[in-house]
Amino acid sequence: MLRLHFYAGVFVAPFILIAAVTGALYAMSPTLESITDRGLLHTDSTGPVKPLSEQVAAGTMAEPNLSLVAVAPAQNAGDTTRIIFGDPTLGASERRAVFIDPVTAKPLGDSVVYGSSGALPTRTWIDTLHKDLHLGDFGRYYSEIAASWLWLIALAGLVLWFRRVRARREKRSAGWLLRPDRSRPRARTLNWHAVVGVWILPVLLLLSATGMTWSKYAGENVTKLRQELSWTTPAVTAKLPGSTGPAKPAGGEHDGHGTSAPSAAPAANKAALVDTVYAVARANGLEGPLEISVPAKDGTAFVAKELRRPGVLTLDSIAVNGSTGVVTDTLRYSDWPLAAKLTNWGIQFHMGMMFGLLNQLLLLAIMIGLLTVVVRGYLMWWRRRPTKEAGMVALGRAPRRGALRQTPITVLVPFLAVAAVVGWFAPMIGIPLLGFLLLDVLSGLVSRRRATA
């Protein structure tokens, strides 16, 4: 454990350090977005709200060449309504939104919005920075390495610190795991490195798990595992009873558009039905922020679903026949499988949206704590360096070798089997782990040659 913690700390910690810095910024991105894009998100107008269909009409007039795909009504006084269009010039999961003052039904501007949370460019830029450093698929290796190793480094550190505390006879209480030992000034760096790590450990494990679900390789395996175990997020069906042909389910957790742009029926006819769908959704208990998907074809229902927004914990959704106002399918968040609920809560927490500003401040504090842990780890490594040898500054020494050879076979075989399974499931653990092993073997060979020289 000590040797694994050492190698991972030296070579993986730079990725974790970058993830912590960008993650601290990402944690505050919803608040930053509300400041930088206040002119689009909020309005000072007061008075009665115009019918939603009138707001939709104003939005479609502002973008007559784009196809209406969804409407996100203003939730609270001072909020704006989003009229959302499909734009073929945009990338995957990107749409164009016209922001409408619900009191005056006048457009306040337009912007590209991204994903199921409707992130605007400021938050999207920060999101991409945290995810891949704006380097595309190549940059995603950094975040996957950080997420994949974070939990392993943290748990190894916990084991080492627990054994260190228990080994001191005068301080057998496990409470010493949670507070530094001030009686030993020389060990101050180690004490704070370990204790802060223990403080932030639960949140680090959650961030690591949710980060891996978004990663490229481990994320694909997580998706396959969830499908095999029927842990995927359920969705309402948009197909109307009696209609022919398949209808794509709507209301899932992914960042796709959900429905394609309407082409057969004029957008004006679809927009006129939004009032009915909105009223039905509210009457059926969908009280949170909504997005109403506008069907592209006949025989397809409108789908109203609650959105991920700060402080919103439930995501109910219903399908409504816009012509009759009849609810054709309903999915309550209470009916989601437990695994799907936990996944959704973890994602919302990771995005800083589960408890609003409090969630964001907590993540910011955790990221600052993680930064101090990483810096102290490198400081300890630097202090372990020997004096100058042959005119060169040597690096800190690794812990002693030979632990695996001394491990009982009954422990070693299961340990290696688990390592192989974990390394296959999360390649960004497996590949670096093989690299550490090769580096360790080469280091041993060099040390033997020096000893016999």
Side-chain angles (χ1 to χ4, degrees), residues 3-357:
R3 206 161 179 83
L4 177 65
H5 189 73
F6 168 80
Y7 275 119
V10 171
F11 294 105
V12 177
F15 299 99
I16 295 178
L17 191 67
I18 296 172
V21 173
T22 58
L25 187 60
Y26 178 72
M28 298 303 298
S29 62
T31 296
L32 294 175
E33 178 183 77
S34 67
I35 296 173
T36 59
D37 297 298
R38 189 186 185 285
L40 293 177
L41 298 173
H42 302 286
T43 175
D44 296 327
S45 300
T46 58
V49 173
K50 299 289 185 181
L52 192 56
S53 56
E54 188 173 335
Q55 300 178 51
V56 173
T60 54
M61 289 182 62
E63 292 289 353
N65 297 321
L66 299 181
S67 300
L68 176 68
V69 296
V71 179
Q75 175 68 10
N76 302 307
D79 292 343
T80 55
T81 295
R82 301 187 187 194
I83 313 302
I84 304 170
F85 301 89
D87 189 338
T89 65
L90 300 178
S93 296
E94 292 181 339
R95 300 178 291 180
R96 186 167 301 280
V98 176
F99 294 79
I100 303 294
D101 185 331
V103 175
T104 63
K106 293 183 179 180
L108 299 178
D110 69 275
S111 176
V112 175
V113 295
Y114 180 87
S116 59
S117 63
L120 272 66
T122 298
R123 182 150 58 103
T124 301
W125 188 90
I126 296 174
D127 180 15
T128 305
L129 178 70
H130 181 56
K131 180 174 66 177
D132 60 22
L133 301 178
H134 293 276
L135 297 176
D137 287 341
F138 176 77
R140 293 184 66 181
Y141 292 128
Y142 118 80
S143 59
E144 183 161 0
I145 290 174
S148 298
W149 277 92
L150 180 58
W151 67 273
L152 191 56
I153 296 175
L155 289 180
L158 177 65
V159 171
L160 296 171
W161 180 238
F162 182 79
R163 287 179 60 85
R164 182 182 180 88
V165 170
R166 296 293 292 178
R168 301 185 62 191
R169 295 179 180 178
E170 72 276 15
K171 296 184 178 66
R172 283 187 172 274
S173 171
W176 279 94
L177 288 170
L178 300 175
R179 61 181 185 271
D181 183 2
R182 298 177 181 272
S183 66
R184 306 179 65 200
R186 294 184 63 183
R188 182 182 294 111
T189 302
L190 172 61
N191 282 326
W192 279 107
H193 171 81
V195 170
V196 175
V198 173
W199 290 346
I200 64 178
L201 178 63
V203 178
L204 292 185
L205 295 179
L206 178 58
L207 294 176
S208 178
T210 51
M212 289 179 68
T213 63
W214 282 323
S215 64
K216 181 176 179 59
Y217 297 108
E220 292 177 354
N221 288 330
V222 169
T223 299
K224 293 176 182 177
L225 179 63
R226 292 180 62 199
Q227 291 172 346
E228 291 293 330
L229 298 176
S230 299
W231 287 354
T232 54
T233 301
V236 296
T237 179
K239 182 179 179 180
L240 292 175
S243 62
T244 59
K248 185 178 180 180
E253 69 184 58
H254 299 290
D255 283 340
H257 294 172
T259 56
S260 57
S263 57
N269 293 340
K270 299 290 185 180
L273 303 176
V274 172
D275 285 328
T276 299
V277 177
Y278 182 55
V280 171
R282 292 305 191 200
N284 280 269
L286 275 69
E287 300 176 351
L290 294 178
E291 181 176 293
I292 301 172
S293 297
V294 178
K297 301 177 181 178
D298 293 335
T300 306
F302 288 75
V303 174
K305 60 180 180 180
E306 293 179 318
L307 296 174
R308 286 190 182 122
R309 290 287 187 270
V312 177
L313 301 181
T314 62
L315 299 176
D316 294 342
S317 57
I318 62 171
V320 181
N321 186 327
S323 300
T324 63
V326 174
V327 176
T328 59
D329 192 18
T330 303
L331 177 62
R332 298 296 178 185
Y333 190 72
S334 58
D335 296 329
W336 284 30
L338 178 60
K341 290 180 181 178
L342 294 176
T343 299
N344 176 63
W345 289 334
I347 290 173
Q348 286 187 285
F349 183 83
H350 194 125
M351 296 175 67
M353 301 177 67
M354 192 169 187
F355 306 116
L357 182 59

